Amino acid sequence: VVLFNGDGHDHPAEVVAADRKRTLLNVFPAVTADRELPFPLEIAAALPKGDRGDFLVEKLTELGVTRLTPLQTERTVVQPRETRLDKLQHAVVEASKQCGRNVLMRVAPVTRWAAFLAAPDLPALRLLLHPPAESAGRVLPGFSAGAGGVVVAVGPEGGFAPAEVEAAEAAGWVRVGLGPRVLRVETA
């Protein structure tokens, strides 16, 4: 078997004995197995309703996202409590097991949109997924994240409010669309 604890290493082990309540393993030296993106990728999104939030976390984990920041925006429908965030972090562990990822995506506390825009540690490349006013069909341009990483913000069901879009653009965010169709939060 291969064990992991989120530190970026695989820990190969051999089952020596097992019974109903415990398993005894012989753990071999750790092996570095880098399966991460070559740059940090953060997603800030208002969580969708119901099981779609779990689906979102599962897919972001599989794609290699470094951190998910649940957003509280003007149009946010779901206001997750601390217990919900704990469940989402547990979903990160389960998705990591399934996809072979050995570095855990971090689920940050719920953050108000204005506070998130003012955060000092955001990467230089900041993308706001919101259809551009002049052309809802403009597609995300090619970019190079570099070592500084990238942060992508996805609005709630109903999108960001106009004042939230203006505040993001004033803070240096690049407003982009993903095509002519309106996507669900977890798809975007």
Side-chain angles (χ1 to χ4, degrees):
V1 296
V2 177
L3 309 173
F4 78 101
N5 63 7
D7 68 356
H9 296 88
D10 286 346
H11 301 271
E14 178 180 42
V15 177
V16 176
D19 61 36
R20 288 182 159 195
K21 296 189 178 195
R22 62 187 174 140
T23 302
L24 180 62
L25 301 172
N26 180 20
V27 180
F28 301 109
V31 176
T32 300
D34 186 8
R35 296 183 190 99
E36 295 304 299
L37 296 173
F39 57 89
L41 174 59
E42 180 174 351
I43 301 293
L47 294 177
K49 295 183 247 179
D51 292 340
R52 292 174 33 216
D54 293 339
F55 181 79
L56 171 67
V57 166
E58 179 182 295
K59 297 309 165 195
L60 292 179
T61 299
E62 291 173 4
L63 290 170
V65 170
T66 310
R67 179 170 74 173
L68 167 65
T69 302
L71 291 177
Q72 183 177 3
T73 69
E74 184 178 315
R75 297 178 180 162
T76 296
V77 176
V78 176
Q79 303 291 338
R81 296 187 176 110
E82 194 63 36
T83 55
R84 178 71 176 129
L85 295 177
D86 291 342
K87 288 179 183 177
L88 291 177
Q89 192 62 55
H90 180 72
V92 168
V93 172
E94 294 304 313
S96 295
K97 288 178 186 178
Q98 183 275 321
C99 73
R101 187 170 179 191
N102 57 18
V103 174
L104 298 178
M105 177 180 77
R106 185 172 150 245
V107 178
V110 177
T111 305
R112 290 188 173 279
W113 178 239
F116 187 76
L117 289 179
D121 61 343
L122 292 178
L125 183 54
R126 294 163 288 174
L127 304 175
L128 180 72
L129 293 187
H130 191 81
E134 63 277 1
S135 170
R138 186 164 21 141
V139 177
L140 180 68
F143 65 90
S144 174
V150 62
V151 59
V152 180
V154 181
E157 295 147 354
F160 288 105
E164 292 171 330
V165 173
E166 290 172 15
E169 290 176 328
W173 288 69
V174 177
R175 184 175 169 188
V176 296
L178 293 176
R181 291 165 300 285
V182 175
L183 304 176
R184 288 181 170 224
V185 172
E186 65 275 19
T187 304

